[in-house]
Amino acid sequence: MRPDSQEVDTSSAPVHPVDPRRLRWLELLSRYRQPIGLTVTLLLFGIALIACWHLLFEMDIYALHDSVLSTPRSSLAGALAATVVGFIVLLGYEWSASRYAGADLKPATLALGGFTAFAIGNAIGLSLLSGGSVRYRLYSRKGMGATEVARMTLFASLSLGCALPPLAALATLSDLPAAATALGLSEGLLGSVACAVLLLFAALAIGIYRRRLPEQPIANNLLVRVGRRTLRLPTLRLTLLQLVITALDVAAAATVLYLLLPETPPFGAFLLVYLLALAAGVLSHVPGGVGVFEAILLAAFADQIGAAPLAAALLLYRIIYVVLPLLVACVMLLINEGRRFFFAQQAIRVASGLAAPVLALLVFLSGVVLLFSGATPEIDTRLEHMGFLLPHRLIDASHFGASLIGVLCLLLAQGLRRRLSAAWMLTTILLLVGALLSLLKGFDWEEATMLTLTAALLAVFRRSFYRPSRLLEVPFSGVWLVSSACVVASSIWLLFFAYQDVPYNNQLWWQFTLDADAPRGLRSALGSAVLLIIVALTWLLRTARPTIHLPTPEELERAARILAHSSQPDGGLALTGDKALLFHPNDKAFIMYARRGRSLVALYDPIGPTQPRAEMIWQFRDLCDLHHARPVFYQVRAENLPFYMDIGLTAIKLGEEARVNLHTFDLEAKGKEMKDLRYTWNRGTRDGLSLEVYEPGTAPLDELKIISDAWLSGKNVREKGFSLGRFSADYLKHFRIVIVHFEGKPVAFANLLETDRRDLASLDLMRAHPEAPKLTMEFMMVGLIQHYKAKEYARFSLGMVPLSGLQTRRGAPLTQRLGSMVFQRGEQLYNFQGLRRFKDKFQPDWEPRYMAVPAGLDPMVALADTAALIAGGLTGLVKR
């Protein structure tokens, strides 16, 4: 967006008053939501582990082993078939979601996106984030926007939660005596609650039907008025269809577990308890509901079925319905990424794909396997054969080392997720070493094969890990540390469960015999816990985070050198000196940013080539994590949105930028627009207007300051900042300046933003004296376009029109509809349409510009913080 013109003050988008108290509460919720969420998750996970321990206290691991082996093959085959049916039914969610979002995708694309999103979401939880990220990656390549993907993900995620209460009520009423027995409640109370739930949902449906709007312009959507807001809901037909799909989905998933049970209770009662366990697992936000789901089912059916058979069925259920689809989904995604990888002409085309997060997940699972393997007894027959070949101390050392590698895999998965090349190299080495140790500790060839295959996949997708940052520079991640702590805690829980019949004594720590499974497990658990604590303390007690400061003259010179070799002239705003600078380690790129509250707001995409640009986005995210701030990128281009998705951001459209193609621009061409521009140029020349370009440091700034002061006074505005330059000799000395003279006297000027690449030229300050001729600014634009066309530049930017190009239809996102309304009706605040009409005269190509921000509550706070930066503080929001 160009800051100034004679027609309008384009210094910022209009800022509406924000209730300070509401903004403060939003800020508090945004600041503490992660620690609160992590604390609740840890608490629920701990309670679930204690409950499972209490319910399984009298069962030993050998009984569990025997129960798993005694499961009939027919039951396993039936469970596999039910899993296949369940995931086919799950694709119905995807189909319904695409109809609701108005997305036109091929069935094969929907099938891939639906299966992989649900498989990964079921395993790691947080389906809105995990499943949404997968969908965006796959669907955006087919031309689908972030808004439609978000709408599909929200629909698919909420469908199950909204359908669970009525389905549970129907399951209860289908076999009330059995449900009352399973839950330990009276039939009267349970029946009353079930009827109340059904009546409540019926009343809600009637209320929605009555509040529907008479005109429904969007297919498969029902617009409902609630107060002053309009909600976009699925139609009655789509809702009933989704209720049927959800019922079939839950029935198929419950059938998987039901078929694995040796003794089967009435299916209606079992389905009710399954629904309650499923809801509790989802609401707990524990990944996959691990522990919470099992605790409820054990509490309900352990006495009736037996703890060991039920635990064996739950274990097989996790493997068949959760782990197996997860592995299949990872393989499918990697195959899909492999096609892009091998057919890509440039490495950066695959740098921002799904390979890195999928491989990070596989490495994390490898760490889980190594830790759980270290906590459970090895197979005796294999150990006997190993004892003849290897010393017992080597077997013990291999067991201990494999567990430590498991902890490191958990932690290195974060580095892989952040695409660090150092994490890639270290993880590959550790996986291969772990495979060797798995063979030495007990000839665990299955485990060794999985680790070797994961290492091979890392080698295949080497180019996805393009960041040269050091591992020690990775910011502290509470989520990753808590996840790793939960895995280590689970392995310790598994250790005590496996050896609960072994009396504890001090000699256990020093036993190194071949059959000393318990001592090996104790040493491995202690080593794993100590290693995790050391890493956590090192993470927390590192050197102080880097300070944020305004650039020094040397840093401004570095930025100028990078800018000169780029194709992004807007980066010249870094030379104002009012923004901090973050440089690429090799001085290939930089980011200009400023801090406001808890927001670190970067202006534009990183300045520099494409590959370093992707690295810089991650580097900025690391900086934000170190300062516990939200990352915000203001005015970014659509082509870079995948990189922002990589770091967990979503996009909000700000408007459109006008860029004139100088290869096709012809002032002598036919047409009304060119005729008007020719008239402006010829009339201005006849009337005494002339245009002159001054080299850096040669323009008469004293005369230009008179024009600038008069312009500010006439517009009743003050100098702004951040995304705008200001009239300053220290700033303007870096640029060529164009001056329009009228009868030999300067009446208007602009500083030019250029680079050595000649791909694009632009301008920043553009100010005219109030007494300048009316056509002065249009005359300047025509002259500059001809000037750059003669110098063989490719394009000339006329700047951004805020809120231009936003959707006006009712089904569009709320932010777009509000922005479009302001664009159409906010002329008393800002001449949006006039600015658009003015730039349309030059027949430009319109390109969208976005703000990349975290999802949730953050966009509102980030927008307010960015507006305050541009306006020069809170007072600037109310003063022009």
Side-chain angles (χ1 to χ4, degrees), residues 40-59:
V40 172
T41 298
L42 274 176
L43 181 63
L44 293 174
F45 183 71
I47 293 173
L49 285 183
I50 294 172
C52 290
W53 174 266
H54 176 73
L55 294 168
L56 299 173
F57 180 72
E58 297 182 356
M59 186 190 76

Side-chain angles (χ1 to χ4, degrees), residues 40 48 73 99 123-124 143 205 218 229 241 322 395 417 433 469 536 555 561 618 667 674 678 723 759 785 845:
V40 172
R73 292 185 178 181
R99 300 285 80 75
I124 66 176
I218 308 173
R229 298 187 176 184
L241 177 62
V322 178
I395 294 176
R417 179 64 184 87
V433 174
S469 303
E555 289 177 327
R561 288 194 298 269
W618 271 108
L667 191 62
M674 292 298 107
R678 283 196 302 273
S723 65
D759 290 333
I785 290 175
D845 299 321

Side-chain angles (χ1 to χ4, degrees), residues 164-247:
L164 278 179
L167 290 177
L170 292 173
T172 300
L173 295 177
S174 66
D175 196 341
L176 191 57
T181 302
L183 296 178
L185 299 174
S186 66
E187 294 185 23
L189 176 61
L190 202 56
S192 300
V193 171
C195 291
V197 169
L198 292 177
L199 289 175
L200 178 62
F201 270 76
L204 183 63
I206 293 173
I208 290 175
Y209 180 78
R210 289 181 175 178
R211 290 178 178 270
R212 75 191 191 283
L213 296 178
E215 52 184 37
Q216 302 291 334
I218 308 173
N220 299 308
N221 284 250
L222 183 70
L223 301 182
V224 179
R225 178 74 67 183
V226 179
R228 295 182 178 181
R229 298 187 176 184
T230 301
L231 300 181
R232 176 176 175 174
L233 302 175
T235 59
L236 178 61
R237 177 182 177 183
L238 194 58
T239 301
L240 293 176
L241 177 62
Q242 195 58 37
L243 189 63
V244 173
I245 292 172
T246 304

Side-chain angles (χ1 to χ4, degrees), residues 99 116 200 213 280 349 351 417 473 485 584 590 626 649 674 690 697 759 788 843 845 852:
R99 300 285 80 75
T116 53
L200 178 62
L213 296 178
R349 292 184 59 182
R417 179 64 184 87
E473 296 174 352
H584 186 271
F590 71 87
L626 287 172
L649 304 185
M674 292 298 107
S690 62
D759 290 333
Y788 283 113
Q843 298 183 342
D845 299 321

Side-chain angles (χ1 to χ4, degrees), residues 353-409:
L354 281 167
V358 169
L359 288 170
L361 177 59
L362 289 178
V363 169
F364 192 88
L365 290 176
S366 299
V368 173
V369 170
L370 286 171
L371 283 170
F372 284 9
S373 175
T376 53
E378 299 292 342
I379 301 175
D380 293 337
T381 55
R382 296 182 182 179
L383 273 179
E384 291 175 2
H385 291 94
M386 296 295 294
F388 287 107
L389 301 173
L390 301 173
H392 298 170
R393 293 296 180 94
L394 180 58
I395 294 176
D396 287 321
S398 300
H399 197 282
F400 184 77
S403 295
L404 297 185
I405 288 177
V407 175
L408 293 176
C409 284

Side-chain angles (χ1 to χ4, degrees), residues 661-667 783-794 796:
N661 187 334
L662 299 181
H663 294 311
T664 59
F665 182 88
D666 184 3
L667 191 62
L784 283 175
I785 290 175
Q786 294 186 93
H787 169 78
Y788 283 113
K789 183 178 177 65
K791 288 186 171 291
E792 298 182 348
Y793 275 72
F796 179 72

Side-chain angles (χ1 to χ4, degrees), residues 447-739:
E447 189 177 299
T449 301
M450 185 193 74
L451 298 177
T452 304
L453 287 175
T454 305
L457 289 172
L458 283 172
V460 169
F461 290 96
R462 168 66 183 91
R463 286 188 293 172
S464 293
F465 305 95
Y466 52 81
R467 296 186 60 203
S469 303
R470 298 177 181 177
L471 280 173
L472 295 179
E473 296 174 352
V474 175
F476 171 79
S477 173
V479 174
W480 220 273
L481 187 60
V482 167
S483 301
S484 302
C486 287
V487 174
V488 173
S490 299
S491 69
I492 295 173
W493 181 95
L494 187 59
L495 169 74
F496 285 107
F497 170 72
Y499 301 110
Q500 58 183 311
D501 58 335
V502 178
Y504 174 79
N505 59 71
N506 292 332
Q507 284 73 27
L508 288 174
W509 296 99
W510 316 113
Q511 290 183 12
F512 295 95
T513 59
L514 192 62
D515 59 350
D517 284 329
R520 277 194 291 267
L522 279 173
R523 289 190 290 268
S524 297
L526 178 63
S528 301
V530 170
L531 178 59
L532 183 62
I533 291 172
I534 291 174
V535 172
L537 290 177
T538 304
W539 223 344
L540 290 169
L541 302 177
R542 282 185 306 180
T543 56
R545 60 194 179 191
T547 59
I548 297 175
H549 63 274
L550 294 181
T552 63
E554 292 76 15
E555 289 177 327
L556 291 178
E557 290 181 8
R558 291 169 63 189
R561 288 194 298 269
I562 297 170
L563 174 65
H565 294 90
S566 75
S567 58
Q568 300 159 274
D570 286 341
L573 287 170
L575 304 180
T576 58
D578 65 346
K579 293 171 282 294
L581 300 178
L582 179 66
F583 289 94
H584 186 271
N586 298 330
D587 267 7
K588 293 181 178 179
F590 71 87
I591 287 178
M592 46 185 163
Y593 68 97
R595 181 162 193 165
R596 175 76 191 182
R598 282 189 60 248
S599 299
L600 285 184
V601 186
L603 179 61
Y604 306 130
D605 297 297
I607 307 301
T610 305
Q611 178 74 48
R613 195 182 306 159
E615 298 172 17
M616 287 298 301
I617 290 172
W618 271 108
Q619 192 176 334
F620 185 73
R621 175 57 191 260
D622 290 345
L623 178 69
C624 292
D625 288 345
L626 287 172
H627 286 272
H628 306 291
R630 68 175 62 83
V632 181
F633 287 83
Y634 181 67
Q635 286 198 48
V636 299
R637 301 186 64 190
E639 66 186 39
N640 295 311
L641 289 182
F643 298 125
Y644 300 111
M645 288 294 297
D646 274 347
I647 65 172
L649 304 185
T650 187
I652 298 175
K653 189 173 182 180
L654 296 174
E656 293 178 315
E657 180 184 354
R659 291 190 171 187
V660 179
N661 187 334
L662 299 181
H663 294 311
T664 59
F665 182 88
D666 184 3
L667 191 62
E668 301 301 323
K670 296 181 179 179
K672 183 179 183 301
E673 292 79 7
M674 292 298 107
K675 180 180 179 181
D676 292 342
L677 294 180
R678 283 196 302 273
Y679 172 81
T680 298
W681 181 252
N682 294 331
R683 174 67 183 270
T685 303
R686 288 197 306 269
D687 290 348
L689 291 176
S690 62
L691 186 136
E692 185 176 358
V693 177
Y694 289 77
E695 294 302 313
T698 63
L701 294 186
D702 291 340
E703 297 181 46
L704 300 186
K705 189 174 189 310
I706 297 174
I707 298 174
S708 178
D709 291 343
W711 186 90
L712 292 171
S713 176
K715 295 291 184 180
N716 192 26
V717 296
R718 63 177 188 173
E719 295 278 12
K720 299 187 185 295
F722 188 64
S723 65
L724 318 169
R726 61 177 59 235
F727 192 93
S728 163
D730 290 337
Y731 172 59
L732 294 178
K733 69 180 181 181
H734 297 284
F735 308 99
R736 295 203 304 162
I737 295 178
V738 60
I739 300 178

Side-chain angles (χ1 to χ4, degrees), residues 848-860:
R849 293 293 174 266
Y850 299 90
M851 172 182 276
V853 292
L857 298 174
D858 286 325
M860 296 182 65

